[in-house]
Amino acid sequence: MNLINALNLSYLIASVLFIVGLKQLGHPKTATKGNILGAVGMFIAVVATLFDQQIISYEWIAIGIAIGSIIGIILAIKIQMTAMPQLVAVLNGFGGIASVLVAGSALQISIPKYEYLVNYQEVISIVFSAIVGGITFSGSFVAFGKLQGFVTEKAVRYPGDQAVKIIIGLACIGLGVYSTIFPTNEPIYWILSAFSLLLGILLVVPIGGADMPVVISLLNSYSGIAASATGFVLNNNVLIIAGSLVGASGIILTQIMCKAMNRSLTNVLFGGFGAVAAEMKDDGDFYHGKIKSTSAEEVAMLLDIARTVVIVPGYGMAVAQAQHTVRDLYQLLTARGIDVTFAIHPVAGRMPGHMNVLLAEADIPYDRLKEMDEINSTFENVDLVIVNGANDVTNPLAKTDPKSPIAGMPILDVDKAKTVVVIKRSLSPGFAGVPNPLFIADNCLMLFGDGKKATQEMINALKES
């Protein structure tokens, strides 16, 4: 078997591992195995590529692997689950800029050949890599800034912003066409890349923090598409396949997220094109005199007589790192014969599947996690709902106020339960920036405090009762 055949066979094996691993990532029980299969596939693809005869020197490759491995190990150890969305955004961005740089290098190498014969498949792929990769890089870092607090979480709008985006988009298309026709003009490629970077910023800045889960999954798809385009540039089959898998799965996830947040894909792409949500102003009297505070001891008494309990996890639980304490509460209640389930909203937290990952980390049984569509019809028969750090995903304004930023967003119907206890540090709004009428509902009690501490206090009160 010659080197080319061995290389293609290795890529085929790696691609199969990617596909099988991606399939297994679709369920928590097999996700770990799927992750390992994907990693093995990538290892095979990298090793096979290193045997490619076109590699001139391995020194810089070795240095890059060493530096990347050190950074990866540090991130894996240091990054908290609450910061995982920011990390995903950064990784998406690096994938995008890698496509831009690799395509630019390929163009530079190929320019002498284009003087005689232009390979239009390669040229079009190079241009596509520049546009999508540039948008992915800058857009991802704007998303990172919004999640980290460096950039305002509010939707930044200004007069004529849609027209500006259209003009910049048309400029990218025009420069792309020019680069395709005259590929030997290398500076145009880098000008195109600069315009793409600007477009990425302009596309994400007008999107508010509440829509960041959708943006992250969309940019993840973009990074895969850019990688696939780069695969055509390099004539690398495994990169084409891997990029296509990431791009397709990202688009599917984006559609799921859009449905969960009542946002169309067009709305996400163009930052609310044609519709600017009116902000709801709190006059300071929304909650005044209407809140019913409770204590851990009172909640324990309610739990003593409850037969069915639903726990709704949210970003506040993640910030408090309360998942293991919530697990302890679950085990204590289950030991007393209480039926306990967890209601999972698709966009609870700051990224798709955020709550699922946290609860899986705490060894909560998978069959106890119920998705929104499955559990919403059962809330009327639930004795007690404990909302731990969730806000917008339980806000009835989504159904009652058409002018609200979350109007039409499917929510968890916790307000239909017999009693609702909301664990929250304060009455501050969620990402959408609007008050939550659930907090002043007749059947709602507010337990103010840190999600972990409040849960532990409930556990202690239950043990003493």
Side-chain angles (χ1 to χ4, degrees):
M1 180 182 295
N2 59 35
L3 181 61
I4 294 178
N5 289 335
L7 187 65
N8 288 331
L9 179 60
S10 298
Y11 285 165
L12 177 61
I13 294 172
S15 300
V16 171
L17 290 173
F18 289 155
I19 295 170
V20 175
L22 184 61
K23 173 63 177 177
Q24 293 191 333
L25 285 173
H27 195 281
K29 288 184 178 180
T30 57
T32 300
K33 184 178 179 181
N35 194 34
I36 293 173
L37 288 176
V40 171
M42 183 56 69
F43 178 78
I44 292 173
V46 171
V47 171
T49 302
L50 291 176
F51 280 97
D52 194 329
Q53 293 175 331
Q54 297 181 23
I55 294 178
I56 299 174
S57 174
Y58 288 91
E59 286 80 3
W60 286 107
I61 294 175
I63 293 173
I65 291 175
I67 295 174
S69 298
I70 293 172
I71 294 174
I73 291 171
I74 293 174
L75 290 176
I77 295 173
K78 296 292 186 180
I79 291 295
Q80 299 292 333
M81 274 304 303
T82 51
M84 193 58 65
Q86 291 94 307
L87 178 61
V88 171
V90 169
L91 295 178
N92 288 341
F94 283 149
I97 198 63
S99 297
V100 173
L101 296 176
V102 170
S105 299
L107 175 63
Q108 189 176 38
I109 294 171
S110 300
I111 283 177
K113 296 186 298 182
Y114 293 159
E115 295 287 353
Y116 305 100
L117 180 64
V118 176
N119 183 340
Y120 283 105
Q121 173 185 303
E122 185 177 73
V123 172
I124 293 173
S125 299
I126 288 173
V127 168
F128 196 75
S129 295
I131 296 175
V132 181
I135 291 173
T136 304
F137 177 71
S138 57
S140 295
F141 274 87
V142 172
F144 166 79
K146 283 179 175 284
L147 293 173
Q148 194 67 21
F150 298 149
V151 180
T152 177
E153 293 180 353
K154 295 181 179 180
V156 179
R157 307 298 299 272
Y158 54 88
D161 59 342
Q162 301 294 356
V164 171
K165 283 184 284 188
I166 292 174
I167 291 171
I168 298 299
L170 291 174
C172 289
I173 294 173
L175 289 168
V177 172
Y178 183 89
S179 294
T180 302
I181 299 174
F182 304 103
T184 55
N185 192 342
E186 184 186 357
I188 294 296
Y189 174 84
W190 300 110
I191 295 173
L192 168 62
S193 300
F195 271 84
S196 300
L197 291 171
L198 177 59
L199 182 59
I201 296 173
L202 296 176
L203 285 173
V204 178
V205 163
I207 303 175
D211 286 333
M212 278 303 109
V214 180
V215 175
I216 290 174
S217 60
L218 182 62
L219 290 171
N220 183 50
S221 175
Y222 284 176
S223 68
I225 294 171
S228 182
T230 307
F232 282 101
V233 173
L234 301 177
N235 197 25
N236 187 300
N237 294 331
V238 74
L239 189 55
I240 294 172
I241 295 172
S244 299
L245 290 173
V246 174
S249 59
I251 285 292
I252 293 171
L253 184 58
T254 299
Q255 291 177 330
I256 294 173
M257 293 299 102
C258 287
K259 180 180 179 182
M261 298 186 72
N262 194 40
R263 298 288 188 273
S264 68
L265 184 56
T266 302
N267 181 274
V268 174
L269 286 170
F270 298 102
F273 189 91
V276 180
E279 292 188 7
M280 179 176 180
K281 296 182 179 179
D282 183 3
D283 59 5
D285 296 326
F286 189 86
Y287 297 123
H288 184 68
K290 304 172 186 177
I291 293 295
K292 297 181 289 296
S293 298
T294 188
S295 65
E297 290 73 22
E298 291 180 355
V299 177
M301 288 189 289
L302 291 172
L303 289 170
D304 269 334
I305 61 175
R307 301 269 49 91
T308 55
V309 173
V310 174
I311 299 175
V312 179
Y315 184 67
M317 186 196 78
V319 171
Q321 299 184 37
Q323 60 269 28
H324 296 284
T325 310
V326 169
R327 186 260 331 270
D328 294 340
L329 176 63
Y330 160 78
Q331 292 176 340
L332 179 59
L333 295 175
T334 303
R336 296 187 173 203
I338 300 174
D339 181 30
V340 183
T341 53
F342 293 80
I344 309 298
H345 193 282
V347 292
R350 286 189 168 184
M351 66 182 294
H354 200 172
M355 297 300 106
N356 303 70
V357 173
L358 284 175
L359 296 175
E361 179 191 5
D363 296 323
I364 300 294
Y366 304 123
D367 61 351
R368 294 287 86 192
L369 275 57
K370 306 297 181 182
E371 298 296 330
M372 177 179 61
D373 293 340
E374 181 182 1
I375 201 168
N376 259 353
S377 61
T378 68
F379 277 116
E380 292 181 352
N381 301 318
V382 174
D383 294 324
L384 179 64
V385 172
I386 300 174
V387 179
N388 197 324
N391 196 333
D392 292 334
V393 297
T394 63
N395 194 332
L397 282 180
K399 294 184 176 182
T400 61
D401 185 0
K403 295 183 179 180
S404 170
I406 59 172
M409 184 180 85
I411 63 169
L412 292 166
D413 296 328
V414 299
D415 56 317
K416 295 181 180 179
K418 296 175 184 178
T419 305
V420 182
V421 174
V422 177
I423 301 174
K424 206 172 182 298
R425 288 178 179 270
S426 67
L427 293 172
S428 59
F431 283 153
V434 294
N436 192 339
L438 172 68
F439 300 164
I440 59 175
D442 293 337
N443 62 338
C444 182
L445 301 171
M446 297 296 298
L447 179 57
F448 292 105
D450 174 84
K452 182 177 182 179
K453 182 179 179 181
T455 304
Q456 187 60 54
E457 289 174 351
M458 285 192 293
I459 293 174
N460 295 338
L462 273 170
K463 289 180 178 179
E464 294 174 359
S465 63

